[in-house]
Amino acid sequence: MSGGHGMNAAPPPWAGKLARAALALYPAVWRARYGDEVRVLLEDSGADPRTVASLAGQAVPAWIWPIRHLYDRPARMRASLATVLVAWTVLAGLAVAFAQFTQAQMSPQGQPPGARHLVILLSYGVFDAAVGVSALAVAVGGLPLWLLMMRRARREQRPRDLACLLAPVVMPVLYLAAGQVTGLVPPAGTGNGPIGLSAYLALLVLGFVAGVISAAGPALALRRLRPHGPAVGLAARAAGVAAAAMALAGAASIVAAIGLYRWAPPYHQGWQLAVYPPLVLLAAAVAVVSAARGIRARPVTRRRITPAA
Amino acid sequence: MTDRLDRWADPPLLVLASLAGEPKHGYAIMQDVADTMGVRLTAGTLYAVIARLESRGLIEAMDSEDRRRPYRLTAAGASALAEQSERMHQVAFVARERLRVRYGWAVS
C-alpha cells in the first residue's frame, strides 16, 4: 500500500516478469485459487518494483497463516506434521553433530580456559535443556498418534504402513548398532579418534540419511492412513513446542559455536562455523513455519450460543 | 510527513468500503480505492486482504466467464463495515472536536 501519487510513472520492463515470478513464492493452494487473478491484475495494472516487493513480502504470511477456507484442515495438519517431523529430525541430527564436534571434546585434559567462558557454558545449558524439552514434546505429543496409526495398520493388516511406522525405531537401532558412531568417532584433529575427518563426515551423512528415513516413514504413514481426531490436534500442538524448542537449541548451539571460535580456537574451525549456522537456521525456519501452519489449521471450537429463555 | 499517513489506513476496510458500492474484480477495487480514497493498494496487499476477507466470510467470489473474478460484500461483511464505520465516525468526531478546541481548527 502506498500513497496515490506517481501512479503513472513508467515501470521498468523487468518488474512484470519478477512480479509474476514472485507468485511462485506462495503456497500451491494459494496460487491455484488466486494466482490467475493476480496475473490478470498485473496485466491490467502493470507492475513496478513496489508491486514485486509487495507480492514477495505477502508470500511470507501466506505460508505462516494459511487461508483456512482453501485447505482441508486435517490434511493440512498431517502435511505440517510430516514436514515438522523431517525438519525436526534434521535439527536433531545437527544437534548430535554439534555435540560430537564440540561437547565431546570438552575433556578436562588440555581444555583451554576459553572453553569455559560463561557465554559458552550458558549456551550449552540452554542447548541441553531445549533439546530435552523438544524430545519430550515429540514423545508426549507423537506417541498417541503413533499408537493410533499402529493399531489401525495392524487391524487392517497393512504391512507397508507398519514398516513405515517402525522406521523411527528400527533405523536408529540399526545405525547405532552398526558402529555406535555418535559415541565412538570423534572428529579428526583431536588426537584420539580412530578414523579421519572424511570417514567421520561420511558416517555423519549416513546418520542423516538414517534419520531422514526414520522421519519419512511416519510421514508417509500419515499420508496413507490419514488419521484424524484429537490425537492429530495434540501432535500438532506438540510439534509446535518441539519445533520452537529445537530452534532455540539451534540458536544456543550457534552462540556456543561462535563462542568457541572466538575464545577457544583449537576447539572449533572456521569452516564449521560457515556450514553449521545456515543449516540450523534453514531447518529451524522450515520446522517452525510448518508447525505454525499445522497449529493454525486446527479446527476452531466455537461455543454454541443458545437463545435466552 | 502528513502525505504518508495513508500508510495507516486499514486495507481490509478500504476493500470492504469499495465493495459496498457494487461487486468488483481486483483491478476495479484497486482503481476505486485509489480514486475515491486516495490510497493505492499493491497487488500483494490487495490479494492478501481479499483472501483473508473471503476466508472470514466477509466477501464472496462471484461466478465469472473470464479471468477477472468479481467479489461482493456478504451480509456479515456489510455488518462488519457498518460497525467499523461507526467506530471511525466516533474517532473522527473526537479528533475534530479536540482540534477545534485546542487549535481552533475549523471544519470546512
Side-chain angles (χ1 to χ4, degrees), chain A residues 60-284:
Chain A
V60 177
W63 276 101
I64 296 175
W65 294 285
I67 305 297
R68 286 181 172 160
H69 72 282
L70 298 182
Y71 290 94
D72 167 11
R73 289 185 182 190
R76 175 67 261 154
M77 287 164 74
R78 288 193 294 269
S80 288
L81 280 174
T83 307
V84 172
L85 190 59
V86 174
W88 185 89
T89 306
V90 170
L91 279 170
L94 287 168
V96 171
F98 169 74
Q100 278 279 304
F101 270 103
T102 58
Q103 282 183 303
Q105 304 168 50
M106 291 291 182
S107 60
Q109 293 84 15
Q111 192 181 67
R116 297 201 63 77
H117 193 281
L118 182 65
V119 171
I120 296 173
L121 293 179
L122 274 176
S123 303
Y124 277 136
V126 172
F127 173 79
D128 290 342
V131 168
V133 168
S134 190
L136 192 66
V138 168
V140 171
L143 201 58
L145 181 59
W146 186 76
L147 289 172
L148 181 81
M149 289 195 291
M150 281 292 286
R151 273 199 296 274
R152 192 169 150 211
R154 284 172 59 185
R155 192 173 61 238
E156 296 177 7
Q157 297 183 339
R158 301 170 71 135
R160 199 181 295 174
D161 294 330
L162 267 176
C164 285
L165 287 166
L166 286 172
V169 179
V170 174
M171 288 307 294
V173 169
L174 278 180
Y175 180 71
L176 291 173
Q180 296 188 350
V181 176
T182 53
L184 291 179
V185 186
T190 58
N192 56 354
I195 62 172
L197 180 63
S198 303
Y200 174 77
L201 288 178
L203 285 167
L204 198 64
V205 170
L206 279 179
F208 272 99
V209 171
V212 169
I213 292 172
S214 300
L220 198 61
L222 273 168
R223 193 184 174 92
R224 290 163 55 87
L225 291 167
R226 299 182 177 196
H228 54 84
V232 181
L234 174 68
R237 281 192 293 265
V241 175
M246 199 50 105
L248 178 64
S253 69
I254 289 172
V255 172
I258 293 170
L260 285 169
Y261 183 72
R262 169 75 178 77
W263 292 298
Y267 282 77
H268 217 77
Q269 296 166 14
W271 70 267
Q272 294 166 3
L273 202 61
V275 171
Y276 181 71
L279 288 176
V280 169
L281 291 176
L282 180 66

Side-chain angles (χ1 to χ4, degrees), chain B residues 87-103:
Chain B
R87 206 170 292 148
M88 288 173 68
H89 179 75
Q90 182 68 18
V91 171
F93 176 77
V94 170
R96 284 171 182 230
E97 269 305 293
R98 290 180 181 173
L99 283 170
R100 188 181 60 78
V101 171
R102 178 76 175 79
Y103 298 99

